Amino acid sequence: MAEKEATVYIVDVGASMGEKRNGRRTSDLDFAMTYVWDKITSTVALDRKTATLGVIGLRTDGTANELGSEQSFENISVFQEISNILLPDLKQLRRKVVLSNTDSGDAISAIVIAIQMITKYCKKLKYKRKIVLITDGRGSLDDDPASIFEITKKITQDDMELVIIGVDFDDPEYGFKEEDKEPQKAQNEQTFKALADACEGIIGTLQQAVEELGMPRLKNTRPVPSYKGPLALGDAAAYDSAIWIDVERYPRTSVRRPLTASQYVHRLDPSQNTIQSSGTVLPDGDTEMADAGTHDLTNVKSSRTYQVLDEEAPGGKRDVSRDDLAKGYEYGRTAVHINETDENVTKLETQAALELIGFIPWTNYDRYMSMSNSNIVIAQRTNSKAIMALSSLIHALFELESYAIARLVPKADKPPVILLLAPSIEVDYECLLDVQIPFTEDVRSYKFPPLDRVSTISGKVIKEHRNLPNDTLSSAMSDYIDSMDLSSFGRDEEGNSSEYMPMTDTFSPVLHRIDQAVRWRAVHPMEPIPPPYEILVRYSQPPEDLVSSSKRKLEKLMAAADVKKVPPRVQGRRRNRNEVKPLSGLNVEALIGGDRKKAKISFQNAIPDFRQTVNTADSIEGMRDAAQQLGAVVETRIRDSFGDIAYARALEEIGVMREEMIDLEEPDIYNDFARALKRKLLAEELGGNRKDFWWEFRKSRLGLIDKQTSEASKATEEDAKARLLVLEPELMWKTK
C-alpha cells in the first residue's frame, strides 16, 4: 500500500512579492507559484486518496485561521484545508492566491498553524508529514528563541519535514548571492537557516527549485509478483534427486505508457450526470468512461448493438441480444462454430510451474530471440535454503558461461512460454534475469541477398562490383562511425571522459511532455503551454561539437561514396509532369518511348505498360485512354477470378492507377473509373456476385480521390465516404 502523505504549503502573498527583481519578467509571486503549482498538480496527478495537502496564505489582507484571535496570527489565511485535492479545488485555489496589499504577517506563526493542521488531521496515525514555506523573507518575523525552540521540538517529535524555499535567498552550494541585500531580509534568512538546521530541514533558493522542476520525476511502482512457486529441475514426484527451489518472479523492465485521454462532454442540464448516445441500448455490452464528477464536464456512456441481415426487417437488419451470439473460428472464408461446452477442447490444461528444460552456452544465444520485457527471479525471501540453492545455481551458470532454458506456466490453465534465464551477480544481490524466447512458429525466416558479394545466375561469386563497397569506402565509413562515437564523448564532474547519454539521464520525451502539458493546462486553462524542458530534448539531435569535429570525416565519406544531390522534382499536371531533369541532359524515356502511337496495355504486363503509357502520353485523352485500358484489365481479372485468387493483383493495379492520377493531378479519371466499377459490381456484371471484392477494395483504402488528397478533385471528403465506401442496401441485398 502507498505511504500516506500530508503536506502543507505556506505561500507568501505579501505586497513585496509583486515586485520583479533580478531581471525576471514575472513577479516574485508568479515565480514562486511556478514551483507551488507544479508540486500541487503532481500530487493531483497521482490520483491517490492517501496523498493529501493543504495551503496557507501568508501576509494576506484578511485573517482566516483557528488562532486568528491572537495578534501574532493575523494576516494568515487557510486557503485549503488538508484533504484530497481535485481539479475543481485547483480552480478555487487559483482564485484565492492573489497578491495582497499588506506586508504584515509572521512566517513563524504560519508554520505554527501548519503544524496544528497536520497534527489535527493526522492524529497519531502513520503519515509522511511535510511543511513547505515559500517566501521572499521581507516581512516581519518573530525570532524569539523560546518560540523557535518549541517549534523545533514539535517538528522533531512528530517527525515532520520542514522545507524553506526563499526568493533570491543566498545559497553558496548552488552558487547564488543577492547583491545589496536589505538588512531585514538578511536577518530573516539567518533565522530561517537556524530553524531549518535545528529541525534537520532543508533551506534553499527558489531559482534552484524551479530549475529542478525540469527534471522528470520517476514513478515508484510497487513490485507485484507474476509467479510464486517452485523452480524445478526434474520430476520431483517421480525422482528423489529432483531439485525444487521456491522462487518469486517480478518485472524488471516494463514500458510506461503516457497519460491517456478520455471522452467527456460539457453538461447541458446540470441536473443530469450522464449523457447517453442516441440509438443505443445499455444492457448489451455497455461501457462507461471514468466519472467526471458533478461539475461542468460529464462522463460519456457508450454502448454496442449487434445486428444481423434480415430481408423482412426494416432496413434489412435486425437487432440481436449479446446472449444470442456464438463464437466462431475463421477457417478460410467461413467460420467454424464451437459452443461453450466444447470450447475446453481448444484449451491446453496446464498447472502453474517453472521447470528447467536444459542449458545452453552464452555463444549459442542470439539477441534477436528476446521477445518480451525482462523479469527478475529471486529466491523466496524468508527461505534460507531456497536462497542458498538459487545462489549455487546462479554461480554455476556464471562460471560455466551458460544460460538456462525453462518452461513457465504463470497460472493454472495459462498457455506455457519458454524462458531464457541468465545469471546476474551484483554487489548487494543475486538473481536470474529472464526473457521470453520464441517457439518454432514464432520465428520468421527470410532470405536476402548477401551484402558482401554478388552472385550471378551461373553461380559465380563476384567480390568487386559497383553495388559493393570498396576498401576506400569501407575505411571512410569506419572512420566516420568512430568519429561519431558517443560512448566517451561526455564528461563527468571531474572532467574525465564518460558516456554521453547514460540511460539514467535519458527520459521519454512523449511521456513527460504530455504530463507537463496536462499539469500546466489544469492551472492555466487559457495560457499557451510552455516549451518542453531542456532535458527532454537534449538528446533529440547529435551534439554540435561532435558533428563539427566529424565534418571532415563525413566529407571524405561522401567523396568515397560518390554522393550526388538528387535533382529537384517539378510539380504540376502532365504538361508540367513530375519530371526529373537528367544530369546528362538526355531523357532516356523520351528516346525509347517518344514515337509510340497509342500503346496497348497487355494483360500479362499491365502495370509497367500503364506507367510507360501515361509517361509518354501528350494529352489528357491519352491518359484517359490508358486508364480505360487498365480498367478493362482489372474488370477481366475480377470476372475470370476463381474465388478471390486474382483479387490481390486487381487491387494492386487499381492502386497504381490511383497513385498515377494523383501524381498527374487528374483525379477525375480515377474517380470515374471507381464509380463505374462500383456500379458494375453491385449490378453483378463482373461474373456474378462479387461484392466480396468491394470489401477488399474498402480495406485497401482505394476510395475516391477527394479535395484533401488532390486540390484538382471535384469530390469532397463526405462525397467519397457516402458514395463509394457505403453500399446501398437495396443494391447490396439484391436478389434475382
Side-chain angles (χ1 to χ4, degrees):
M1 183 177 178
E3 190 176 12
K4 297 179 180 179
E5 300 178 6
T7 305
V8 175
Y9 292 92
I10 304 173
V11 182
D12 190 345
V13 296
S16 62
M17 292 285 287
E19 299 292 332
K20 300 178 181 179
R21 298 182 174 88
N22 291 326
R24 289 188 293 268
R25 297 182 179 180
T26 59
S27 65
D28 290 350
L29 178 59
D30 292 338
F31 188 44
M33 292 309 298
T34 302
Y35 172 83
V36 176
W37 290 133
D38 186 274
K39 292 297 183 181
I40 292 178
T41 52
S42 297
T43 303
V44 175
L46 293 176
D47 193 22
R48 279 174 33 206
K49 293 184 177 180
T50 56
T52 59
L53 61 89
V55 181
I56 296 175
L58 171 63
R59 297 197 292 171
T60 59
D61 290 327
T63 302
N65 63 80
E66 294 183 355
L67 304 178
S69 58
E70 301 182 22
Q71 184 177 0
S72 58
F73 294 96
E74 293 180 352
N75 299 107
I76 300 175
S77 301
V78 178
F79 291 156
Q80 172 72 40
E81 293 287 351
I82 299 178
S83 64
N84 250 158
I85 188 168
L86 303 175
L87 183 58
D89 303 320
L90 269 180
K91 295 180 178 179
Q92 295 180 7
L93 184 60
R94 190 167 184 263
R95 290 192 290 266
K96 294 178 181 179
V97 180
V98 293
L99 194 68
S100 70
N101 298 316
T102 181
D103 283 329
S104 300
D106 180 24
I108 300 297
S109 299
I111 294 177
V112 173
I113 295 175
I115 294 174
Q116 183 191 36
M117 290 173 60
I118 292 176
T119 303
K120 181 180 178 181
Y121 181 82
C122 300
K123 299 181 175 63
K124 297 294 183 180
L125 301 177
K126 186 178 180 181
Y127 270 85
K128 183 179 180 181
R129 300 166 169 86
K130 187 175 182 180
I131 299 173
V132 181
L133 170 64
I134 301 97
T135 179
D136 63 356
R138 287 182 166 83
S140 59
L141 201 65
D142 182 9
D143 55 357
D144 180 32
S147 300
I148 294 180
F149 175 77
E150 292 298 328
I151 293 172
T152 302
K153 182 179 178 182
K154 180 64 175 176
I155 291 176
T156 305
Q157 286 179 350
D158 291 357
D159 195 20
M160 298 183 187
E161 181 184 2
L162 177 63
V163 178
I164 301 175
I165 300 176
V167 181
D168 298 330
F169 275 22
D170 294 342
D171 191 339
E173 295 182 0
Y174 176 66
F176 178 81
K177 180 177 177 60
E178 186 180 21
E179 301 295 336
D180 301 327
K181 190 184 297 289
E182 300 173 7
Q184 182 180 4
K185 182 180 179 182
Q187 179 62 34
N188 290 344
E189 286 188 27
Q190 294 298 324
T191 303
F192 284 133
K193 187 176 186 308
L195 175 61
D197 293 342
C199 57
E200 298 181 355
I202 300 173
I203 184 171
T205 184
L206 182 61
Q207 286 87 330
Q208 181 181 7
V210 171
E211 284 184 8
E212 291 179 352
L213 295 179
M215 178 64 67
R217 290 173 286 276
L218 301 183
K219 181 180 179 181
N220 294 324
T221 57
R222 183 170 61 92
V224 178
S226 57
Y227 173 79
K228 277 188 175 183
L231 170 62
L233 177 57
D235 188 357
Y239 303 99
D240 296 336
S241 59
I243 298 177
W244 188 283
I245 306 173
D246 292 320
V247 297
E248 299 174 358
R249 182 173 181 258
Y250 296 92
R252 181 62 179 270
T253 60
S254 181
V255 178
R256 181 180 170 186
R257 306 294 180 184
L259 294 174
T260 56
S262 301
Q263 293 182 340
Y264 295 98
V265 296
H266 288 278
R267 180 180 290 108
L268 301 179
D269 185 0
S271 62
Q272 297 179 355
N273 289 333
T274 60
I275 293 180
Q276 179 182 334
S277 302
S278 60
T280 60
V281 182
L282 285 177
D284 290 339
D286 65 326
T287 58
E288 182 176 345
M289 306 304 295
D291 188 13
T294 58
H295 302 280
D296 58 339
L297 294 180
T298 183
N299 56 313
V300 179
K301 285 186 177 180
S302 61
S303 62
R304 179 179 297 176
T305 59
Y306 301 90
Q307 296 178 328
V308 295
L309 305 179
D310 189 349
E311 298 179 0
E312 299 179 357
K317 297 181 181 180
R318 175 171 55 86
D319 293 345
V320 295
S321 173
R322 185 180 181 182
D323 298 334
D324 297 333
L325 302 181
K327 290 185 177 180
Y329 290 86
E330 186 176 353
Y331 188 72
R333 297 180 62 187
T334 60
V336 177
H337 167 60
I338 297 180
N339 56 35
E340 294 184 1
T341 57
D342 296 334
E343 192 173 359
N344 291 331
V345 177
T346 63
K347 294 183 178 180
L348 180 66
E349 296 182 0
T350 57
Q351 297 295 326
L354 178 58
E355 302 169 338
L356 293 177
I357 299 175
F359 307 91
I360 61 171
W362 292 354
T363 54
N364 288 10
Y365 181 75
D366 295 322
R367 294 287 299 273
Y368 70 84
M369 298 178 68
S370 299
M371 294 181 56
S372 67
N373 297 331
S374 59
N375 296 271
I376 183 173
V377 178
I378 62 173
Q380 195 177 65
R381 301 182 185 183
T382 58
N383 191 332
S384 58
K385 291 185 178 180
I387 295 174
M388 183 68 69
L390 186 63
S391 177
S392 63
L393 175 61
I394 293 171
H395 281 268
L397 290 173
F398 183 79
E399 292 172 3
L400 296 176
E401 298 183 352
S402 299
Y403 295 138
I405 306 297
R407 173 182 180 271
L408 171 67
V409 180
K411 293 182 180 179
D413 295 330
K414 292 289 185 180
V417 296
I418 304 298
L419 301 180
L420 179 93
L421 302 177
S424 177
I425 302 176
E426 303 294 339
V427 177
D428 51 349
Y429 71 94
E430 301 171 349
C431 67
L432 290 172
L433 299 177
D434 77 68
V435 291
Q436 183 180 346
I437 56 178
F439 289 100
T440 299
E441 297 81 2
D442 300 325
V443 178
R444 303 291 187 268
S445 298
Y446 303 101
K447 291 184 178 180
F448 300 99
L451 299 178
D452 59 344
R453 61 187 182 277
V454 174
S455 299
T456 63
I457 299 177
S458 61
K460 182 180 179 182
V461 177
I462 301 175
K463 293 292 185 177
E464 295 183 1
H465 191 269
R466 59 185 179 85
N467 293 334
L468 297 178
N470 52 35
D471 294 340
T472 303
L473 179 58
S474 299
S475 177
M477 178 62 75
S478 178
D479 293 341
Y480 178 66
I481 292 175
D482 292 340
S483 67
M484 291 292 290
D485 184 16
L486 295 175
S487 61
S488 59
F489 183 73
R491 292 289 183 270
D492 57 18
E493 296 178 355
E494 299 178 356
N496 299 323
S497 298
S498 64
E499 186 178 358
Y500 172 68
M501 47 183 301
M503 187 179 65
T504 54
D505 293 339
T506 309
F507 301 94
S508 170
V510 174
L511 192 151
H512 295 289
R513 176 56 175 170
I514 294 177
D515 182 61
Q516 176 195 4
V518 171
R519 287 189 285 110
W520 177 269
R521 181 59 74 229
V523 182
H524 308 87
M526 303 303 295
E527 298 180 17
I529 298 176
Y533 296 128
E534 185 273 335
I535 195 171
L536 299 181
V537 297
R538 179 182 300 171
Y539 303 120
S540 299
Q541 301 292 335
E544 295 182 0
D545 294 342
L546 190 62
V547 172
S548 177
S549 62
S550 60
K551 184 177 181 180
R552 300 185 66 179
K553 301 289 186 182
L554 178 60
E555 293 174 351
K556 291 182 178 179
L557 174 61
M558 295 174 64
D562 193 21
V563 177
K564 296 180 180 178
K565 186 177 180 180
V566 178
R569 295 172 65 90
V570 181
Q571 301 294 333
R573 291 181 179 268
R574 177 60 189 91
R575 43 187 171 270
N576 294 318
R577 167 76 170 163
N578 293 343
E579 300 172 352
V580 176
K581 298 178 180 179
L583 296 176
S584 62
L586 297 177
N587 191 337
V588 179
E589 292 185 359
L591 294 175
I592 296 176
D595 296 332
R596 299 182 65 177
K597 300 292 185 179
K598 195 176 179 179
K600 185 177 180 180
I601 297 176
S602 64
F603 187 81
Q604 294 78 13
N605 200 33
I607 291 178
D609 287 349
F610 173 74
R611 282 180 169 154
Q612 182 67 25
T613 302
V614 296
N615 285 338
T616 58
D618 54 1
S619 65
I620 296 178
E621 292 303 322
M623 302 178 209
R624 188 179 296 276
D625 179 72
Q628 290 175 353
Q629 291 188 56
L630 183 61
V633 171
V634 170
E635 293 176 0
T636 303
R637 292 197 193 281
I638 299 173
R639 185 182 297 108
D640 299 341
S641 175
F642 181 74
D644 61 354
I645 193 170
Y647 286 1
R649 191 166 182 181
L651 291 171
E652 182 184 6
E653 291 167 347
I654 295 174
V656 171
M657 182 194 301
R658 191 175 190 272
E659 292 174 1
E660 289 293 329
M661 293 304 108
I662 293 174
D663 194 28
L664 294 169
E665 297 186 9
E666 293 294 342
D668 292 340
I669 296 178
Y670 174 80
N671 291 344
D672 292 343
F673 159 77
R675 292 188 181 99
L677 178 64
K678 175 187 176 182
R679 184 173 60 255
K680 293 179 181 179
L681 286 172
L682 296 181
E684 299 184 358
E685 297 177 2
L686 299 179
N689 187 351
R690 293 288 183 177
K691 298 186 181 70
D692 53 345
F693 177 80
W694 190 256
W695 173 252
E696 298 296 334
F697 184 92
R698 293 179 57 184
K699 286 201 309 182
S700 302
R701 300 182 181 275
L702 297 174
L704 296 181
I705 303 173
D706 54 23
K707 289 184 177 295
Q708 187 176 2
T709 305
S710 175
E711 295 181 357
S713 176
K714 299 178 182 178
T716 63
E717 185 177 358
E718 293 75 14
D719 184 53
K721 292 181 180 178
R723 297 191 179 185
L724 189 66
L725 297 182
V726 179
L727 290 174
E728 289 80 359
E730 62 273 12
L731 293 177
M732 184 173 181
W733 313 119
K734 178 181 178 182
T735 57
K736 294 183 178 179

